[in-house]
């Protein structure tokens, strides 16, 4: 949604006459037909024979990336043999570069599976491209389910760049942004009971074991889990035994159990006397 909004604003300067159909589809079609200028990137040689990637609509690249903004405002480009075709060398493999530039022009998601998240963050840092970090957040939220959510939330926690501290960037509209951390938190509150199925039966692995202890602490500290006290105590005990070194288990259990935390809705309502507080206020 964030990239969509950015494209819509920028493309008013590209398609000046009214036309039927989606402007993003028109842009991608024009990109694939190489009708958006004469600039190309020359990529590093790996295995591919054609090392050139079409740059496309330069105002879009400039707005999306501080790297491209600096590139196209300088004399980095070398025209070949006096022609009007501009070729710029970049130190990236052609498959990644082609996927990235086509994504910016409305092509398929840059992230194909969870293994691509690291590459997306690396590209975002190298190219100065916050829209790619926003894309990571959106992709994670769209792929949450009971099996993947703990792993994805733990990944978000391990990547400070996904915590959306760069919202000041003018290309974004704050009400359109998706923050993976808060969405993961809410997902675990809603699906917690289903995600712990099997944990009290001594199963060697359940999806919840992909959470870090710090994220489990956030859940019990919120007092918002709609799980019985007896069951939640059993779940937390098994979780700590699986995730925490033996020498630290006693201290961690004490930290995650009442009265140190609100624990669940049942105990929270007892402590607060039935009064209602917003979740963010409790946190």
């Amino acid at each position: 949604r964030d990239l969509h909004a950015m494209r819509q604003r920028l493309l008013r300067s590209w398609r000046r006459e009214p036309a039927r159909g989606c402007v993003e589809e028109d842009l991608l079609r024009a990109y694939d037909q190489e009708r958006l200028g004469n600039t190309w990137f020359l990529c590093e040689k790996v295995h591919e024979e054609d090392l050139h990637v079409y740059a496309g609509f330069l105002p879009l690249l400039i707005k999306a990336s501080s790297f491209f903004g600096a590139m196209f405002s300088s004399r980095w480009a070398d025209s070949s043999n006096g022609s009007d075709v501009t070729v710029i060398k970049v130190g990236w493999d052609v498959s990644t570069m082609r996927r990235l530039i086509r994504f910016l022009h409305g092509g398929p998601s840059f992230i194909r599976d969870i293994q691509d998240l690291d590459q997306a963050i690396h590209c975002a840092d190298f190219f100065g491209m916050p829209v790619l970090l926003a894309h990571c957040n959106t992709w994670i939220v769209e792929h949450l389910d009971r099996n993947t959510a703990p792993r994805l939330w733990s990944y978000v926690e391990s990547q400070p760049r996904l915590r959306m501290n760069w919202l000041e960037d003018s290309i974004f509209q704050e009400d359109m942004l998706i923050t993976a951390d808060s969405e993961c938190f809410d997902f675990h509150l809603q699906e917690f009971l289903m995600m712990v199925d099997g944990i009290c039966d001594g199963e060697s692995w359940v999806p919840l074991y992909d959470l870090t202890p710090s994220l489990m602490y956030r859940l019990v500290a919120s007092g918002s889990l709609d799980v019985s006290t007896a069951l939640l105590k059993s779940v937390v005990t098994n979780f700590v035994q699986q995730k925490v070194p033996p020498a630290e288990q006693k201290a961690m259990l004490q930290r995650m159990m009442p009265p140190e935390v609100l624990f669940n809705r049942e105990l929270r309502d007892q402590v607060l006397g039935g009064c209602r507080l917003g979740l963010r206020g409790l946190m």
Side-chain angles (χ1 to χ4, degrees), residues 193-208:
L193 195 57
M194 299 301 298
M195 294 165 67
V196 302
D197 187 34
I199 197 171
C200 297
D201 297 330
E203 292 188 13
S204 59
W205 182 89
V206 296
L208 204 67

Side-chain angles (χ1 to χ4, degrees), residues 17-34:
E17 297 181 0
R20 294 181 179 179
C22 175
V23 67
E24 290 188 328
E25 292 176 358
D26 292 343
L27 176 68
L28 182 59
R29 186 180 304 111
Y31 176 81
D32 288 339
Q33 295 172 355
E34 300 173 4

Side-chain angles (χ1 to χ4, degrees), residues 26-281:
D26 292 343
L27 176 68
L28 182 59
R29 186 180 304 111
Y31 176 81
D32 288 339
Q33 295 172 355
E34 300 173 4
R35 294 190 287 109
L36 298 172
N38 296 309
T39 302
W40 294 76
F41 297 117
L42 179 61
C43 300
E44 286 187 341
K45 186 174 183 179
V46 183
H47 299 294
E48 295 84 353
E49 293 182 3
D50 184 5
L51 304 180
H52 292 84
V53 174
Y54 184 52
F57 189 51
L58 298 188
L60 179 64
L61 302 189
I62 291 169
K63 189 64 176 178
S65 162
S66 60
F67 179 89
F68 290 133
M71 173 182 288
F72 294 117
S73 65
S74 69
R75 297 183 178 274
W76 286 18
D78 294 320
S79 295
S80 57
N81 300 321
S83 73
D84 61 351
V85 175
T86 300
V87 178
I88 303 174
K89 294 180 180 180
V90 291
W92 282 80
D93 68 275
V94 66
S95 61
T96 300
M97 198 69 179
R98 184 174 292 126
R99 201 167 88 246
L100 175 62
I101 301 302
R102 199 164 184 273
F103 160 71
L104 292 175
H105 285 81
S109 170
F110 180 80
I111 303 168
R112 298 161 299 188
D113 52 46
I114 193 171
Q115 283 73 32
D116 282 338
L117 286 169
D118 283 340
Q119 186 181 54
I121 293 172
H122 181 48
C123 286
D125 289 340
F126 182 89
F127 290 108
M129 195 176 289
V131 71
L132 200 51
L133 296 175
H135 177 52
C136 290
N137 276 268
T138 301
W139 187 92
I140 288 170
V141 171
E142 290 176 348
H143 289 79
L144 292 176
D145 60 43
R146 293 167 185 166
N147 290 320
T148 64
R151 181 183 176 193
L152 287 170
W153 195 17
S154 295
Y155 181 82
V156 171
E157 183 188 42
S158 73
Q159 297 292 336
R161 296 287 284 135
L162 294 180
R163 296 177 191 169
M164 312 288 275
N165 295 325
W166 31 263
L167 289 177
E168 300 82 6
D169 195 292
S170 61
I171 69 174
F172 296 109
Q173 296 180 11
E174 186 171 351
D175 61 344
M176 298 185 70
L177 285 166
I178 294 177
T179 305
D181 180 73
S182 61
E183 294 288 337
C184 287
F185 180 83
D186 291 341
F187 183 90
H188 282 76
L189 290 181
Q190 296 167 11
E191 300 292 334
F192 190 86
L193 195 57
M194 299 301 298
M195 294 165 67
V196 302
D197 187 34
I199 197 171
C200 297
D201 297 330
E203 292 188 13
S204 59
W205 182 89
V206 296
L208 204 67
Y209 288 158
D210 281 334
L211 277 186
T212 63
S214 57
L215 293 178
M216 176 62 88
Y217 175 80
R218 283 179 60 184
L219 290 172
V220 296
S222 73
S224 298
L225 288 170
D226 193 10
V227 182
S228 71
T229 300
L231 175 59
L232 188 53
K233 285 184 176 181
S234 179
V235 168
V236 171
T237 299
N238 280 276
F239 178 87
V240 169
Q241 290 174 349
Q242 287 285 337
K243 300 288 293 186
V244 179
E248 303 172 18
Q249 289 180 7
K250 182 178 180 179
M252 181 61 70
L253 271 175
Q254 183 177 0
R255 183 169 181 257
M256 287 191 179
M257 291 287 188
E260 298 299 320
V261 293
L262 290 174
F263 205 56
N264 60 3
R265 289 186 181 182
E266 178 185 346
L267 294 183
R268 183 191 69 180
D269 290 344
Q270 293 177 15
V271 170
L272 299 179
C275 69
R276 295 187 177 182
L277 289 178
L279 178 59
R280 301 308 176 205

